[in-house]
Structure formats: C-alpha cells, structure tokens
Amino acid sequence: MTYPSTARIFEVGARDGLQNEKQIVPTDIKVELIERLVDAGVTAIEAGSFVSPKWVPQMADTADVMQKISRKSGVSYGVLTPNMKGYEGAVATKANEILIFSAASEAFNQKNINCSIAESLERFEPVVEAAKNDGIRFKASVSCALGSPFDEEISPTTVAEVAKKLYGMGAYEISIADTIGVGTPIQTQKVLEAVANVIPLDAIGVHFHDTYGQGTANIFAALQMGINKIDSSVAGLGGCPYAPGATGNVATEDVVYMLNGMGIDCGIDLKKLVKTAWFISDYLGRPPVSSVAKALKDKLD
Ligand code: HMG
Ligand code: MG
C-alpha cells in the first residue's frame, strides 16, 4: 500500500467550529486563534463566514476578524459565502478564497440555506461568475455526503452528481463532508469512489465530523485512495446548527498525530497546535474533545 507523502490541512475551527458555540466568541479571541494556528504551520484556514447574522450570529464579526488578523504570505484566508452579499464581504476584506456549499440532502439544504439542492447551485452561479472574473479561487462542500440528520438515505450517486456539478462550475476542490459524523471507512471509500469516477482525484477533499469517533479512520480510508486534502478543526470544535445531533469536526491534532505516524508531511507543528487547542478550549471553559490534545497536555515544553 502506498500513501501520499504530503497532506494539506484546511483548518475550519474558526468558522465551522465557532459557528456552533452557544456563546459568541469575542473578535480578539478569534483573531488570536487564527494567528496561533498559522504560527503552528496551517497554510489554509477558514476564517469566518459572511452569512445572515440572524441565522448565524456567531459569525457576525467576520469583517472585523478579517481586518484585524496579521496575514502571513503564502497562507490562504478563506470565508464561507452563501450569496452575492456574502461574496461582497469576502472581496471587501480581501479573502484569498471563498467557500460555497450544497448538500446531498434536500432536507438539509432547506434547513441550512432555505432552498433546494438545484436552487442552491443556481444561487451560487452569480457568486461563481464574480469570483472567476475577480480571480478568486473557490472551494465547494457537499454536506451530508455519508448520511442525513433527517431520516433519508443518501446514495453515493447523488453525492457524485452534486460534486460533479460544483466541479463543473469551477471549484478547485470539492470537499466531501460527513456533516453528522455517521460514516465508516468502507462506506467512505464507496462514496469517494463514486466521486472519483466523475471528478479528478486531486480535486477531492474530505471533511469529517467525529460524532461516532470515526473521523481519523475515515481519513485513513481516504488516504489509502490517494486523497490528501483534509478539513479539520482545532480542538474538535464544531457541529452544525442545522444538523441536529452532529458533534464536532475531527480534531486537527488527532489528524496531525496520525499523519506524523504515517510519515505524511502536513507542515504543522503538533505541540504549537495542541497549545492552540488548549488556548481556545480554556477560553470556552471545557477541555478539547481531542484525545491527542489531552494526551499531550503535560508534555508540551
Ligand atoms: P433567507 O432568509 O432565505 O434570505 O436566508 P434572504 O435573502 O431573504 O435574507 C434574509 C436576511 O438576511 C436579509 O436581512 C438579508 O439582508 C440578510 P433583513 O432584510 O431581514 O434585515 N442576508 C445577509 N446578511 C449578511 N450576509 C449575507 C446575507 N445574506 C442575506 N451574506 C441565507 C438565506 C443563505 C442568507 C441564510 O440561510 C444563511 O445565512 N444561511 C447560512 C447558514 C450557515 O452559515 N450555515 C452553515 C454553513 S454550511 C456548513 O456548515 C456545512 C459545511 O461546514 C460542511 C460540513 O460541516 O459538513 C460547509
Ligand atoms: Mg463541519
């Protein structure tokens, strides 16, 4: 078995993670979180989202966050944009990339962005056109790719169809997302095989939640297929406000520990990352869910 020699982590804690916190985290803490992550070696980061503050009040200060962070060259600071209004926010704050998203579940799309799968793709057309004109690259997510919170079967064919459309629209990467964290490794491979039949392998990314503790096992399954673009969240922050029962994203520390053990280089300093996991967790008043962050807590000096 051969594995990729490198992997790219796309750190989503500051958006996908903090959007799910009951408390609104102050701007300065978000800025420090992002800067610490970059200092630990993260080169691609989701810094916030320009969405309706009525829907997701936790992200209402994204413009301030984007303005306050000291940017490091070579690092891509991305924001999630559901529509043109969001896109304008991304441009005004000089985001390096934007994230668009749809889902393989009709019910989830309705709850998340108030429209069907087909409408969501149509809604992104103007955003995509503007991004292409402005030379801003975009990544796209397919949520609920391994299961839905709304009692419906998700077929790999549906996931592949949505992925193909988003890739056809020009996304540089399609992130296949197990939004509710129910998937298992062989199922993951079946879904990724369906997607790999319709878009290039190097345009496929993965995004797992750890609800059933399968996050790193599923990433291992993806690595076996040569897929090395991984979304993860420091301290395992996250969940999804529109996916009842979903817990956090797979923790970046757990992923980096596994990659280190496999000799796969992702450029991240594990100790600095674990210190960052404790920084945000201490602020939130609870320990990180990551086993690695807990195991390394007293071994950081
Ligand atoms: P709507 O209510 O259908 O849209 O929401 P609307 O156009 O009627 O707008 C309603 C209000 O929102 C208006 O304000 C707009 O101006 C405002 P009002 O006139 O009532 O005062 N508005 C905005 N404000 C700021 N920024 C904007 C914006 N757009 C409209 N961009 C909408 C539709 C898409 C806006 C709403 O449903 C929304 O914001 N949804 C976002 C929900 C969200 O962020 N979900 C999480 C992201 S997806 C995810 O987490 C999954 C993923 O991480 C993968 C995984 O984890 O598995 C990607
Ligand atoms: Mg997520």
Side-chain angles (χ1 to χ4, degrees), residues 46-121:
E46 195 176 19
S49 61
F50 287 104
V51 298
S52 163
K54 284 185 197 142
W55 285 60
V56 187
Q58 294 88 340
M59 292 290 115
D61 63 343
T62 291
D64 288 344
V65 171
M66 287 295 280
Q67 259 132 24
K68 282 193 176 169
I69 42 180
S70 342
R71 310 234 184 151
K72 190 173 167 190
S73 76
V75 174
S76 184
Y77 298 87
V79 290
L80 181 121
T81 56
N83 53 21
M84 277 309 284
K85 186 162 181 175
Y87 178 74
E88 283 151 22
V91 172
T93 57
K94 300 191 167 49
N96 301 98
E97 67 180 291
I98 58 164
L99 295 309
I100 65 170
F101 50 98
S102 186
S105 153
E106 287 292 356
F108 179 77
N109 252 321
Q110 286 295 349
K111 295 263 190 247
N112 193 30
I113 45 176
N114 211 11
C115 65
S116 66
I117 298 176
E119 282 164 346
S120 77
L121 297 172

Side-chain angles (χ1 to χ4, degrees), residues 210-261:
D210 221 5
T211 317
Y212 286 83
Q214 304 292 297
T216 46
N218 291 340
I219 290 170
F220 183 75
L223 288 165
Q224 282 187 323
M225 296 176 63
I227 293 168
N228 64 350
K229 299 183 177 68
I230 303 161
D231 294 354
S232 59
S233 176
V234 64
L237 297 175
C240 179
Y242 304 106
T247 61
N249 293 273
V250 65
T252 309
E253 309 86 273
D254 294 356
V255 178
V256 171
Y257 181 82
M258 181 179 76
L259 294 174
N260 287 351

Side-chain angles (χ1 to χ4, degrees), residues 12-67:
V12 301
R15 194 284 298 175
D16 196 2
L18 296 184
Q19 78 172 7
N20 204 49
E21 287 301 320
K22 286 203 175 58
Q23 54 177 307
I24 308 250
V25 174
T27 307
D28 288 347
I29 298 288
K30 292 180 181 173
V31 169
E32 183 167 350
L33 173 65
I34 291 166
E35 290 177 350
R36 279 174 175 253
L37 287 165
V38 169
D39 184 55
V42 167
T43 56
I45 188 157
E46 195 176 19
S49 61
F50 287 104
V51 298
S52 163
K54 284 185 197 142
W55 285 60
V56 187
Q58 294 88 340
M59 292 290 115
D61 63 343
T62 291
D64 288 344
V65 171
M66 287 295 280
Q67 259 132 24

